[in-house]
Amino acid sequence: HTYAHQMNTPTLVIQGGTDYRVCETESIGLFTTLQRRGVPSRFLFFPDENHWCLKPKNSEKWHYEIFRWLSSYLDEEEN
């Protein structure tokens, strides 16, 4: 979040509630800064996950959201 004031890239922020590597407040701070700057961003929170989404339903949701986010910002390859 230290350099978020310089960011313009659409950003999907994903946070696990039991992630001891990245504090929730850091992720929320990054997301808030991006939102205030008008940068397209989304916050996805898994309260029962750590640094990785290991539970099947959470993993399914994680993959769905990642691919949805990417498809909204990446051009499809033209045939």
Side-chain angles (χ1 to χ4, degrees):
H1 77 279
T2 302
Y3 300 99
H5 67 281
Q6 300 172 348
M7 294 176 68
N8 296 311
T9 304
T11 305
L12 175 61
V13 181
I14 303 173
Q15 176 68 42
T18 61
D19 187 347
Y20 301 108
R21 295 177 185 153
V22 181
C23 182
E24 286 178 34
T25 55
E26 296 295 321
S27 296
I28 293 169
L30 171 62
F31 173 70
T32 301
T33 301
L34 294 170
Q35 288 284 291
R36 288 182 177 170
R37 289 188 30 79
V39 176
S41 50
R42 185 152 187 261
F43 184 76
L44 184 58
F45 183 68
F46 292 97
D48 58 343
E49 291 287 3
N50 197 337
H51 198 68
W52 307 102
C53 279
L54 300 176
K55 296 178 176 144
K57 285 290 185 185
N58 289 342
S59 180
E60 183 180 333
K61 176 71 171 170
W62 185 90
H63 281 87
Y64 171 80
E65 294 296 338
I66 291 283
F67 287 117
R68 187 174 86 152
W69 181 263
L70 290 174
S71 70
S72 66
Y73 290 101
L74 299 176
D75 292 331
E76 290 188 29
E77 186 176 329
E78 293 185 25
N79 294 328

